[in-house]
Amino acid sequence: MSQSSNSMSLEDTVRKGPNAVEEFMAYVVAKNPGQPEFHQAVREVVESIMPVVQANPAYRKAKILERMVEPERVIMFRVPWVDDRGEIQINRGYRVQMNSAIGPYKGGLRFHPTVTLSVLKFLAFEQVFKNSLTTLPMGGAKGGSDFDPKGKSDGEVMRFCQAFMTELARHIGPDIDVPAGDIGVGGREIGFLFGQYKKMTARFCGVLTGKGIQYGGSVMRPEATGYGAVYFAQEMLAQRGEGIRGKTAAVSGSGNVAQYTVQKLLQLGAKPITLSDSGGTIVDEAGIDEEKLAWVMELKEVRRGRISEYAERFKTAKYYPGKKPWWVKCDLAFPSATQNEIDGEDAKMLVANGCHCVCEGANMPTTPEGVRVFLEAKICYGPGKAANAGGVAVSGLEMNQNSGCMRRSRDEVDHQLQNIMKSIHENCVRYGKVGDWVNYVQGANVAGFIKVADAMLAQGVV
Ligand code: NDP
Ligand code: 2IT
């Protein structure tokens, strides 16, 4: 704990003056030691919104910012389960319920060995602003476990999901907290989690989103994040009088978000040429077409294989072990794997190679140095909380569909998704326009913040 933060009283956390951001961050770091991802996410927001807070005595007096960086509730629990050899395994489960000012907690579950409290607090914090931007009434949360689904049998994944839900069930509900998928949590896992919740509570309700169509899921939820990210890129490019057609795109990841990003890019006439996973990157200069994409979907969702196999199957492609896609020449980049996957050097390479639109399907995929490079180059840079909000937006439609016992058609959902991405874009422009360029980081943070802050003010000290 630093000396300055120790001696700082709570009244001083948001000061007037040019050092306000650093002083506030000293307070956050001292209160949350050893949580670098959380510090990074908070700093990015605070840098944008500090002038708004400083200019608004009501926000300062009500300690809105200090309250926003303190989760309303953090739940951590033991998840014991039995593997196929009969051995007992112990994982750690979490749910971070960050903010419920504008609606019930909402946000995904991540199952990945890199999951820590810091990672989930960063994700839950981002989710508060993202959900606010969707225009739907949803608070922010995130949860998950350090469980690694890779290499596990369906039976093991089911037993883990059941053990995880056995504790989580008491903390969630259709108007309390509605989890969904994220890394390592897709349709299979949501099914197992839902089944256990239903068995424990004897209630069939919309407690999770991303459910199968047969049991209350929304059409287009699997597609929504990737499609939404491409719609957002389309809006950003339109600001510059450009379209998607004919553009070459680098996409990272090969999971849910990456797959449907590629699909929408193809539908709009772009040429996606890369995919990746934690092992490496494939580059297919001939383009990843519909047929190759269908093969990737089968590889990932059914066989649960590795992206390296793509280069064995398609001779137009080459596999680069241990590499990320950012050295490839492209017009558009869609980071869709994980946090901090584009560093300062990667960002410089992208810009130098002519990439002028970076649209984040993943959450916080760009390091602060990388963000600085994109902002200084004044390219179209859509931060995750705006660009990937389509997923949670369609989750919001699924919640609404479940509570109203109704169904929407594919066209209706697609239309609403496009309208929501347009409205997020408009809000970003409203708060982020600088001359003839738009700072989408500034725009998304300020627009997301004001709605939550005003709801908190209205609800008193809670
Ligand atoms: P999936 O589990 O379907 O896919 C994740 C992909 O990212 C895989 O290809 C995976 O490779 C790769 N990846 C994961 N962790 C790492 C890592 N540490 N290093 C390198 N590659 C990694 O997850 P999603 O597609 O759902 O999520 C991708 C990103 O999008 C995440 O940042 C998530 O938070 C974000 N997001 C997801 C939404 C959704 O609706 N699903 C909504 C909004 C954002 P490997 O198989 O080797 O692990
Ligand atoms: O990061 C995200 O927005 C998600 N993983 C989706 C959350 C949701 O509740 O649909």
Side-chain angles (χ1 to χ4, degrees):
M1 210 180 268
S2 78
Q3 201 59 43
S4 69
S5 53
N6 254 343
S7 57
M8 190 187 285
S9 81
L10 203 57
E11 277 90 291
D12 297 333
T13 44
V14 174
R15 293 186 195 166
K16 293 253 178 204
N19 290 329
V21 170
E22 293 312 320
E23 285 165 358
F24 186 77
M25 284 314 300
Y27 158 79
V28 171
V29 170
K31 261 205 128 174
N32 302 277
Q35 299 185 350
E37 293 87 0
F38 180 59
H39 305 159
Q40 183 183 335
V42 171
R43 175 181 279 276
E44 193 234 77
V45 168
V46 169
E47 282 177 353
S48 301
I49 62 168
M50 188 54 86
V52 179
V53 177
Q54 286 178 324
N56 192 322
Y59 290 164
R60 294 184 68 209
K61 187 155 185 286
K63 301 241 162 78
I64 293 297
L65 202 49
E66 292 88 335
R67 279 197 266 160
M68 271 190 189
V69 296
E70 198 61 38
E72 288 179 13
R73 195 171 297 104
V74 175
I75 301 143
M76 277 174 71
F77 49 97
R78 178 208 293 163
V79 189
W81 58 282
V82 181
D83 71 17
D84 285 349
R85 296 167 304 164
E87 290 230 6
I88 296 169
Q89 300 286 339
I90 293 105
N91 286 102
R92 185 172 295 167
Y94 307 82
R95 187 73 179 163
V96 178
Q97 297 178 332
M98 189 60 89
N99 194 304
S100 62
I102 64 167
Y105 305 109
K106 181 84 195 89
L109 296 171
R110 178 176 289 192
F111 293 168
H112 196 272
T114 56
V115 162
T116 60
L117 185 58
S118 172
V119 167
L120 294 179
K121 280 176 71 178
F122 117 62
L123 288 163
F125 186 73
E126 291 267 304
Q127 199 82 42
V128 172
F129 302 92
K130 183 195 304 190
N131 293 2
S132 164
L133 286 168
T134 63
T135 69
L136 303 173
M138 299 181 287
K142 203 84 184 192
S145 174
D146 58 358
F147 173 75
D148 187 357
K150 271 196 212 98
K152 304 287 191 303
S153 69
D154 285 351
E156 288 176 323
V157 171
M158 180 184 76
R159 290 194 294 282
F160 172 79
C161 287
Q162 291 176 340
F164 182 85
M165 183 52 87
T166 300
E167 174 60 33
L168 186 69
R170 72 190 80 219
H171 308 290
I172 62 175
D175 49 15
I176 301 168
D177 183 352
V178 183
D182 193 79
I183 293 178
V185 178
R188 173 182 63 167
E189 290 74 18
I190 294 292
F192 292 147
L193 292 163
F194 182 80
Q196 181 71 356
Y197 183 88
K198 183 165 64 70
K199 179 171 171 135
M200 288 175 69
T201 59
R203 286 186 69 206
F204 191 109
C205 59
V207 68
L208 292 158
T209 60
K211 299 184 292 298
I213 300 295
Q214 317 84 345
Y215 60 98
S218 168
V219 286
M220 272 191 75
R221 176 61 189 88
E223 293 90 331
T225 310
Y227 280 20
V230 179
Y231 292 146
F232 197 81
Q234 211 175 10
E235 293 296 320
M236 290 197 292
L237 288 167
Q239 283 282 115
R240 298 166 42 129
E242 285 184 41
I244 296 263
R245 184 163 298 280
K247 299 277 193 312
T248 299
V251 180
S252 67
S254 47
N256 170 270
V257 178
Q259 291 168 16
Y260 289 104
T261 296
V262 167
Q263 187 165 80
K264 185 50 74 179
L265 284 169
L266 288 173
Q267 288 170 7
L268 297 178
K271 183 180 172 191
I273 56 166
T274 69
L275 283 170
S276 70
D277 61 20
S278 49
T281 293
I282 60 102
V283 181
D284 186 345
E285 294 289 355
I288 301 164
D289 61 19
E290 278 294 350
E291 197 191 320
K292 292 169 178 170
L293 176 62
W295 184 88
V296 170
M297 287 178 166
E298 202 264 341
L299 170 79
K300 287 288 171 179
E301 300 312 310
V302 182
R303 289 195 283 128
R304 300 194 183 265
R306 311 300 300 156
I307 203 64
S308 56
E309 297 171 44
Y310 183 105
E312 292 160 21
R313 172 71 181 76
F314 301 108
K315 294 302 169 203
T316 47
K318 193 163 159 35
Y319 178 61
Y320 297 87
K323 287 203 97 172
K324 299 180 281 181
W326 314 127
W327 52 273
V328 167
K329 191 168 163 46
C330 61
D331 305 303
L332 321 172
F334 291 87
S336 312
T338 193
Q339 62 273 8
N340 293 328
E341 55 170 313
I342 299 183
D343 62 20
E345 291 309 308
D346 296 326
K348 281 184 201 154
M349 259 187 304
L350 279 165
V351 172
N353 280 332
C355 176
H356 58 283
C357 175
V358 177
C359 193
E360 296 184 340
N363 286 305
M364 205 169 77
T366 310
T367 64
E369 297 73 33
V371 173
R372 217 163 295 131
V373 171
F374 294 147
L375 295 182
E376 279 167 14
K378 295 204 158 137
I379 63 165
C380 297
Y381 168 58
K385 60 171 85 67
N388 70 39
V392 74
V394 173
S395 277
L397 301 181
E398 182 172 330
M399 283 168 74
N400 166 267
Q401 172 176 299
N402 292 160
S403 62
C405 279
M406 41 88 80
R407 303 202 72 88
R408 286 191 184 83
S409 71
R410 206 178 154 83
D411 280 353
E412 263 176 287
V413 175
D414 195 24
H415 185 69
Q416 293 216 32
L417 174 61
Q418 291 190 44
N419 280 344
I420 288 171
M421 298 317 294
K422 270 202 181 100
S423 119
I424 295 174
H425 182 268
E426 275 164 19
N427 248 321
C428 289
V429 173
R430 177 168 171 211
Y431 292 102
K433 201 156 173 54
V434 187
D436 57 2
W437 170 69
V438 181
N439 181 337
Y440 289 93
V441 176
Q442 169 82 14
N445 287 336
V446 174
F449 170 78
I450 289 174
K451 183 169 159 193
V452 178
D454 289 349
M456 288 174 75
L457 268 188
Q459 292 169 27
V461 184
V462 292

